[in-house]
Amino acid sequence: MAYKCSRCKRDVELDEYGGVRCPYCGHRVLLKERSRDVKEVDVR
């Protein structure tokens, strides 16, 4: 899953054993990238 570091703005891929930390700067706040898919909601 793609994340972006909130400090250095680099793309980060997390593996299941790596923990939640940017491997480039060590910052612990990662932002989840939004998908570009458009979702439609059926309103009744």
Side-chain angles (χ1 to χ4, degrees):
M1 184 166 289
Y3 291 89
K4 186 169 285 226
C5 176
S6 66
R7 180 183 287 168
C8 68
K9 307 293 188 234
R10 293 178 83 174
D11 292 329
V12 177
E13 285 288 329
L14 296 182
D15 59 359
E16 55 187 273
Y17 301 110
V20 181
R21 187 176 290 263
C22 176
Y24 305 106
C25 70
H27 197 60
R28 294 185 60 145
V29 178
L30 301 177
L31 305 172
K32 185 175 180 182
E33 292 288 309
R34 291 184 180 222
S35 68
R36 298 197 183 265
D37 297 338
V38 176
K39 297 181 181 178
E40 295 183 21
V41 179
D42 184 26
V43 180
R44 293 180 187 218

Tab-separated table of all heavy atoms in Angstrom:
chain	number	residue	atom	x	y	z
A	1	MET	N	0.845	-1.176	0.000
A	1	MET	CA	0.000	0.000	0.000
A	1	MET	C	0.887	1.236	0.000
A	1	MET	O	1.912	1.274	0.662
A	1	MET	CB	-0.912	-0.025	1.218
A	1	MET	CG	-1.892	1.115	1.238
A	1	MET	SD	-3.211	0.896	2.408
A	1	MET	CE	-4.127	-0.386	1.620
A	2	ALA	N	0.479	2.247	-0.730
A	2	ALA	CA	1.302	3.443	-0.891
A	2	ALA	C	0.987	4.468	0.200
A	2	ALA	O	-0.170	4.781	0.465
A	2	ALA	CB	1.053	4.049	-2.250
A	3	TYR	N	2.039	4.980	0.803
A	3	TYR	CA	1.940	6.042	1.799
A	3	TYR	C	2.935	7.124	1.442
A	3	TYR	O	3.863	6.907	0.668
A	3	TYR	CB	2.259	5.512	3.199
A	3	TYR	CG	1.216	4.578	3.741
A	3	TYR	CD1	1.288	3.215	3.505
A	3	TYR	CD2	0.155	5.053	4.492
A	3	TYR	CE1	0.334	2.354	4.003
A	3	TYR	CE2	-0.809	4.199	5.005
A	3	TYR	CZ	-0.708	2.852	4.750
A	3	TYR	OH	-1.656	2.006	5.242
A	4	LYS	N	2.755	8.319	2.025
A	4	LYS	CA	3.678	9.422	1.811
A	4	LYS	C	4.062	9.976	3.183
A	4	LYS	O	3.211	10.189	4.040
A	4	LYS	CB	3.027	10.508	0.971
A	4	LYS	CG	3.983	11.623	0.582
A	4	LYS	CD	3.378	12.528	-0.447
A	4	LYS	CE	3.409	11.803	-1.748
A	4	LYS	NZ	3.864	12.533	-2.889
A	5	CYS	N	5.356	10.194	3.378
A	5	CYS	CA	5.841	10.744	4.638
A	5	CYS	C	5.405	12.203	4.752
A	5	CYS	O	5.535	12.974	3.798
A	5	CYS	CB	7.361	10.638	4.699
A	5	CYS	SG	8.063	11.390	6.180
A	6	SER	N	4.896	12.605	5.902
A	6	SER	CA	4.428	13.979	6.062
A	6	SER	C	5.581	14.959	6.254
A	6	SER	O	5.401	16.157	6.081
A	6	SER	CB	3.449	14.080	7.235
A	6	SER	OG	4.106	13.805	8.440
A	7	ARG	N	6.771	14.494	6.580
A	7	ARG	CA	7.919	15.376	6.764
A	7	ARG	C	8.716	15.555	5.473
A	7	ARG	O	8.897	16.661	4.996
A	7	ARG	CB	8.840	14.854	7.853
A	7	ARG	CG	10.046	15.774	8.065
A	7	ARG	CD	11.015	15.236	9.083
A	7	ARG	NE	10.440	15.367	10.414
A	7	ARG	CZ	10.942	14.776	11.492
A	7	ARG	NH1	11.996	14.000	11.385
A	7	ARG	NH2	10.376	14.934	12.654
A	8	CYS	N	9.195	14.459	4.876
A	8	CYS	CA	10.069	14.571	3.699
A	8	CYS	C	9.319	14.403	2.387
A	8	CYS	O	9.905	14.552	1.330
A	8	CYS	CB	11.222	13.584	3.793
A	8	CYS	SG	10.742	11.852	3.654
A	9	LYS	N	8.020	14.063	2.439
A	9	LYS	CA	7.149	13.952	1.255
A	9	LYS	C	7.570	12.860	0.277
A	9	LYS	O	7.199	12.882	-0.877
A	9	LYS	CB	7.070	15.282	0.504
A	9	LYS	CG	6.691	16.472	1.345
A	9	LYS	CD	5.282	16.374	1.840
A	9	LYS	CE	4.883	17.676	2.508
A	9	LYS	NZ	4.380	17.535	3.820
A	10	ARG	N	8.339	11.885	0.729
A	10	ARG	CA	8.753	10.786	-0.153
A	10	ARG	C	7.754	9.647	-0.063
A	10	ARG	O	7.101	9.456	0.952
A	10	ARG	CB	10.141	10.296	0.236
A	10	ARG	CG	11.188	11.378	-0.041
A	10	ARG	CD	12.538	10.956	0.357
A	10	ARG	NE	13.127	10.138	-0.714
A	10	ARG	CZ	14.371	9.713	-0.689
A	10	ARG	NH1	15.165	10.025	0.309
A	10	ARG	NH2	14.843	8.983	-1.665
A	11	ASP	N	7.633	8.887	-1.153
A	11	ASP	CA	6.744	7.722	-1.181
A	11	ASP	C	7.350	6.606	-0.354
A	11	ASP	O	8.549	6.341	-0.428
A	11	ASP	CB	6.534	7.246	-2.615
A	11	ASP	CG	5.739	8.244	-3.434
A	11	ASP	OD1	4.895	8.950	-2.841
A	11	ASP	OD2	5.940	8.300	-4.653
A	12	VAL	N	6.503	5.940	0.439
A	12	VAL	CA	6.954	4.882	1.340
A	12	VAL	C	6.075	3.665	1.119
A	12	VAL	O	4.851	3.768	1.095
A	12	VAL	CB	6.850	5.329	2.819
A	12	VAL	CG1	7.235	4.218	3.763
A	12	VAL	CG2	7.697	6.563	3.064
A	13	GLU	N	6.691	2.502	0.934
A	13	GLU	CA	5.968	1.235	0.867
A	13	GLU	C	6.207	0.504	2.185
A	13	GLU	O	7.349	0.331	2.605
A	13	GLU	CB	6.489	0.374	-0.289
A	13	GLU	CG	6.037	0.828	-1.652
A	13	GLU	CD	4.565	0.549	-1.904
A	13	GLU	OE1	4.026	-0.439	-1.361
A	13	GLU	OE2	3.953	1.326	-2.647
A	14	LEU	N	5.131	0.098	2.832
A	14	LEU	CA	5.259	-0.609	4.103
A	14	LEU	C	5.182	-2.108	3.866
A	14	LEU	O	4.328	-2.576	3.114
A	14	LEU	CB	4.136	-0.192	5.055
A	14	LEU	CG	4.120	1.264	5.481
A	14	LEU	CD1	2.978	1.495	6.460
A	14	LEU	CD2	5.430	1.674	6.105
A	15	ASP	N	6.081	-2.845	4.503
A	15	ASP	CA	5.962	-4.295	4.486
A	15	ASP	C	5.386	-4.727	5.823
A	15	ASP	O	5.201	-3.927	6.728
A	15	ASP	CB	7.313	-4.967	4.197
A	15	ASP	CG	8.381	-4.614	5.211
A	15	ASP	OD1	8.107	-3.842	6.139
A	15	ASP	OD2	9.500	-5.124	5.068
A	16	GLU	N	5.080	-5.987	5.961
A	16	GLU	CA	4.380	-6.434	7.172
A	16	GLU	C	5.261	-6.465	8.417
A	16	GLU	O	4.759	-6.520	9.522
A	16	GLU	CB	3.749	-7.797	6.939
A	16	GLU	CG	4.717	-8.868	6.472
A	16	GLU	CD	4.007	-10.136	6.105
A	16	GLU	OE1	3.791	-10.963	7.007
A	16	GLU	OE2	3.668	-10.294	4.916
A	17	TYR	N	6.585	-6.385	8.275
A	17	TYR	CA	7.475	-6.433	9.436
A	17	TYR	C	8.252	-5.139	9.662
A	17	TYR	O	9.005	-5.022	10.603
A	17	TYR	CB	8.484	-7.574	9.269
A	17	TYR	CG	7.816	-8.914	9.112
A	17	TYR	CD1	7.844	-9.576	7.891
A	17	TYR	CD2	7.133	-9.499	10.161
A	17	TYR	CE1	7.222	-10.793	7.727
A	17	TYR	CE2	6.499	-10.713	10.005
A	17	TYR	CZ	6.550	-11.356	8.791
A	17	TYR	OH	5.923	-12.550	8.624
A	18	GLY	N	8.074	-4.133	8.799
A	18	GLY	CA	8.879	-2.917	8.852
A	18	GLY	C	8.445	-1.906	9.894
A	18	GLY	O	9.211	-1.034	10.256
A	19	GLY	N	7.227	-1.990	10.375
A	19	GLY	CA	6.747	-0.987	11.311
A	19	GLY	C	6.274	0.257	10.578
A	19	GLY	O	6.288	0.331	9.365
A	20	VAL	N	5.849	1.242	11.350
A	20	VAL	CA	5.329	2.473	10.765
A	20	VAL	C	6.350	3.578	11.016
A	20	VAL	O	6.308	4.279	12.014
A	20	VAL	CB	3.962	2.837	11.372
A	20	VAL	CG1	3.413	4.094	10.739
A	20	VAL	CG2	2.996	1.683	11.206
A	21	ARG	N	7.286	3.703	10.083
A	21	ARG	CA	8.328	4.716	10.183
A	21	ARG	C	8.905	4.926	8.787
A	21	ARG	O	9.116	3.981	8.048
A	21	ARG	CB	9.429	4.259	11.144
A	21	ARG	CG	10.459	5.310	11.446
A	21	ARG	CD	11.447	4.806	12.471
A	21	ARG	NE	10.846	4.668	13.777
A	21	ARG	CZ	10.922	5.572	14.741
A	21	ARG	NH1	11.598	6.673	14.545
A	21	ARG	NH2	10.352	5.371	15.895
A	22	CYS	N	9.167	6.180	8.453
A	22	CYS	CA	9.755	6.487	7.152
A	22	CYS	C	11.198	5.992	7.139
A	22	CYS	O	11.972	6.343	8.030
A	22	CYS	CB	9.699	7.987	6.899
A	22	CYS	SG	10.505	8.491	5.374
A	23	PRO	N	11.575	5.190	6.147
A	23	PRO	CA	12.957	4.687	6.110
A	23	PRO	C	13.969	5.760	5.710
A	23	PRO	O	15.163	5.571	5.885
A	23	PRO	CB	12.902	3.586	5.049
A	23	PRO	CG	11.744	3.939	4.188
A	23	PRO	CD	10.759	4.628	5.084
A	24	TYR	N	13.512	6.907	5.199
A	24	TYR	CA	14.417	7.960	4.750
A	24	TYR	C	14.741	8.956	5.862
A	24	TYR	O	15.887	9.342	6.033
A	24	TYR	CB	13.813	8.698	3.551
A	24	TYR	CG	13.448	7.758	2.435
A	24	TYR	CD1	12.124	7.437	2.168
A	24	TYR	CD2	14.432	7.160	1.653
A	24	TYR	CE1	11.791	6.569	1.152
A	24	TYR	CE2	14.118	6.279	0.641
A	24	TYR	CZ	12.789	5.993	0.397
A	24	TYR	OH	12.463	5.120	-0.611
A	25	CYS	N	13.718	9.406	6.611
A	25	CYS	CA	13.968	10.428	7.633
A	25	CYS	C	13.602	9.965	9.042
A	25	CYS	O	13.886	10.656	10.004
A	25	CYS	CB	13.218	11.715	7.293
A	25	CYS	SG	11.421	11.591	7.454
A	26	GLY	N	12.925	8.817	9.178
A	26	GLY	CA	12.587	8.285	10.492
A	26	GLY	C	11.304	8.841	11.095
A	26	GLY	O	10.931	8.481	12.204
A	27	HIS	N	10.604	9.705	10.368
A	27	HIS	CA	9.365	10.299	10.870
A	27	HIS	C	8.286	9.225	10.974
A	27	HIS	O	8.241	8.298	10.184
A	27	HIS	CB	8.926	11.418	9.929
A	27	HIS	CG	7.924	12.350	10.518
A	27	HIS	ND1	8.161	13.089	11.646
A	27	HIS	CD2	6.669	12.671	10.116
A	27	HIS	CE1	7.101	13.832	11.915
A	27	HIS	NE2	6.176	13.590	10.996
A	28	ARG	N	7.400	9.344	11.967
A	28	ARG	CA	6.404	8.302	12.212
A	28	ARG	C	5.013	8.637	11.698
A	28	ARG	O	4.092	7.869	11.889
A	28	ARG	CB	6.339	8.003	13.696
A	28	ARG	CG	7.630	7.383	14.194
A	28	ARG	CD	7.502	7.000	15.621
A	28	ARG	NE	6.415	6.044	15.734
A	28	ARG	CZ	6.370	5.042	16.567
A	28	ARG	NH1	7.366	4.858	17.381
A	28	ARG	NH2	5.349	4.232	16.611
A	29	VAL	N	4.822	9.793	11.057
A	29	VAL	CA	3.506	10.168	10.538
A	29	VAL	C	3.507	9.951	9.033
A	29	VAL	O	4.202	10.628	8.289
A	29	VAL	CB	3.169	11.640	10.865
A	29	VAL	CG1	1.830	12.021	10.277
A	29	VAL	CG2	3.174	11.847	12.375
A	30	LEU	N	2.724	8.955	8.593
A	30	LEU	CA	2.613	8.636	7.175
A	30	LEU	C	1.178	8.880	6.727
A	30	LEU	O	0.236	8.558	7.449
A	30	LEU	CB	3.006	7.180	6.917
A	30	LEU	CG	4.416	6.793	7.341
A	30	LEU	CD1	4.638	5.319	7.094
A	30	LEU	CD2	5.458	7.618	6.624
A	31	LEU	N	1.021	9.440	5.545
A	31	LEU	CA	-0.292	9.755	5.010
A	31	LEU	C	-0.650	8.748	3.931
A	31	LEU	O	0.159	8.460	3.052
A	31	LEU	CB	-0.286	11.161	4.410
A	31	LEU	CG	0.174	12.263	5.357
A	31	LEU	CD1	0.327	13.571	4.609
A	31	LEU	CD2	-0.782	12.415	6.513
A	32	LYS	N	-1.863	8.207	4.010
A	32	LYS	CA	-2.312	7.235	3.027
A	32	LYS	C	-2.709	7.963	1.751
A	32	LYS	O	-3.442	8.953	1.792
A	32	LYS	CB	-3.503	6.457	3.578
A	32	LYS	CG	-3.969	5.350	2.686
A	32	LYS	CD	-5.070	4.560	3.360
A	32	LYS	CE	-5.546	3.454	2.468
A	32	LYS	NZ	-6.638	2.710	3.093
A	33	GLU	N	-2.214	7.481	0.628
A	33	GLU	CA	-2.542	8.081	-0.658
A	33	GLU	C	-3.990	7.766	-1.024
A	33	GLU	O	-4.445	6.638	-0.856
A	33	GLU	CB	-1.607	7.545	-1.739
A	33	GLU	CG	-0.182	7.991	-1.586
A	33	GLU	CD	-0.011	9.457	-1.921
A	33	GLU	OE1	-0.450	9.903	-2.992
A	33	GLU	OE2	0.578	10.160	-1.086
A	34	ARG	N	-4.686	8.746	-1.532
A	34	ARG	CA	-6.057	8.532	-1.996
A	34	ARG	C	-6.044	7.903	-3.380
A	34	ARG	O	-5.190	8.206	-4.196
A	34	ARG	CB	-6.815	9.848	-2.074
A	34	ARG	CG	-7.095	10.444	-0.742
A	34	ARG	CD	-7.921	11.694	-0.933
A	34	ARG	NE	-8.195	12.293	0.367
A	34	ARG	CZ	-9.360	12.782	0.704
A	34	ARG	NH1	-10.349	12.783	-0.154
A	34	ARG	NH2	-9.541	13.296	1.889
A	35	SER	N	-7.020	7.069	-3.641
A	35	SER	CA	-7.131	6.485	-4.973
A	35	SER	C	-7.752	7.510	-5.917
A	35	SER	O	-8.452	8.430	-5.495
A	35	SER	CB	-7.978	5.218	-4.949
A	35	SER	OG	-9.314	5.546	-4.655
A	36	ARG	N	-7.511	7.348	-7.194
A	36	ARG	CA	-8.049	8.272	-8.195
A	36	ARG	C	-9.368	7.758	-8.765
A	36	ARG	O	-9.917	8.362	-9.680
A	36	ARG	CB	-7.024	8.491	-9.294
A	36	ARG	CG	-5.760	9.116	-8.771
A	36	ARG	CD	-4.946	9.697	-9.900
A	36	ARG	NE	-3.704	10.233	-9.394
A	36	ARG	CZ	-3.517	11.494	-9.077
A	36	ARG	NH1	-4.509	12.336	-9.204
A	36	ARG	NH2	-2.354	11.918	-8.633
A	37	ASP	N	-9.882	6.648	-8.227
A	37	ASP	CA	-11.139	6.083	-8.710
A	37	ASP	C	-12.306	6.968	-8.273
A	37	ASP	O	-12.332	7.476	-7.167
A	37	ASP	CB	-11.357	4.686	-8.138
A	37	ASP	CG	-10.280	3.709	-8.601
A	37	ASP	OD1	-9.658	3.971	-9.637
A	37	ASP	OD2	-10.071	2.693	-7.902
A	38	VAL	N	-13.265	7.130	-9.172
A	38	VAL	CA	-14.462	7.896	-8.868
A	38	VAL	C	-15.544	6.896	-8.458
A	38	VAL	O	-15.844	5.959	-9.186
A	38	VAL	CB	-14.926	8.715	-10.086
A	38	VAL	CG1	-16.225	9.433	-9.780
A	38	VAL	CG2	-13.837	9.697	-10.492
A	39	LYS	N	-16.124	7.106	-7.291
A	39	LYS	CA	-17.166	6.208	-6.799
A	39	LYS	C	-18.512	6.897	-6.881
A	39	LYS	O	-18.639	8.072	-6.539
A	39	LYS	CB	-16.878	5.808	-5.361
A	39	LYS	CG	-15.588	5.030	-5.226
A	39	LYS	CD	-15.329	4.632	-3.805
A	39	LYS	CE	-14.010	3.877	-3.725
A	39	LYS	NZ	-13.691	3.502	-2.368
A	40	GLU	N	-19.507	6.165	-7.343
A	40	GLU	CA	-20.861	6.701	-7.431
A	40	GLU	C	-21.709	6.065	-6.342
A	40	GLU	O	-21.610	4.890	-6.070
A	40	GLU	CB	-21.441	6.407	-8.809
A	40	GLU	CG	-20.710	7.118	-9.927
A	40	GLU	CD	-21.344	6.862	-11.273
A	40	GLU	OE1	-22.538	6.484	-11.313
A	40	GLU	OE2	-20.660	7.060	-12.273
A	41	VAL	N	-22.576	6.897	-5.752
A	41	VAL	CA	-23.453	6.438	-4.686
A	41	VAL	C	-24.889	6.493	-5.195
A	41	VAL	O	-25.331	7.506	-5.748
A	41	VAL	CB	-23.307	7.335	-3.431
A	41	VAL	CG1	-24.232	6.895	-2.333
A	41	VAL	CG2	-21.865	7.323	-2.956
A	42	ASP	N	-25.613	5.395	-5.019
A	42	ASP	CA	-27.016	5.343	-5.426
A	42	ASP	C	-27.857	5.951	-4.310
A	42	ASP	O	-27.945	5.408	-3.218
A	42	ASP	CB	-27.413	3.879	-5.680
A	42	ASP	CG	-28.838	3.778	-6.196
A	42	ASP	OD1	-29.329	4.732	-6.800
A	42	ASP	OD2	-29.439	2.699	-6.001
A	43	VAL	N	-28.486	7.100	-4.593
A	43	VAL	CA	-29.308	7.815	-3.601
A	43	VAL	C	-30.775	7.573	-3.955
A	43	VAL	O	-31.215	7.864	-5.042
A	43	VAL	CB	-28.987	9.327	-3.629
A	43	VAL	CG1	-29.839	10.048	-2.610
A	43	VAL	CG2	-27.523	9.553	-3.380
A	44	ARG	N	-31.490	7.059	-2.989
A	44	ARG	CA	-32.921	6.792	-3.210
A	44	ARG	C	-33.758	7.611	-2.293
A	44	ARG	O	-33.515	7.964	-1.257
A	44	ARG	CB	-33.220	5.325	-2.998
A	44	ARG	CG	-32.566	4.495	-4.045
A	44	ARG	CD	-32.874	3.050	-3.811
A	44	ARG	NE	-32.067	2.286	-4.766
A	44	ARG	CZ	-32.509	1.222	-5.349
A	44	ARG	NH1	-33.709	0.770	-5.117
A	44	ARG	NH2	-31.752	0.568	-6.171
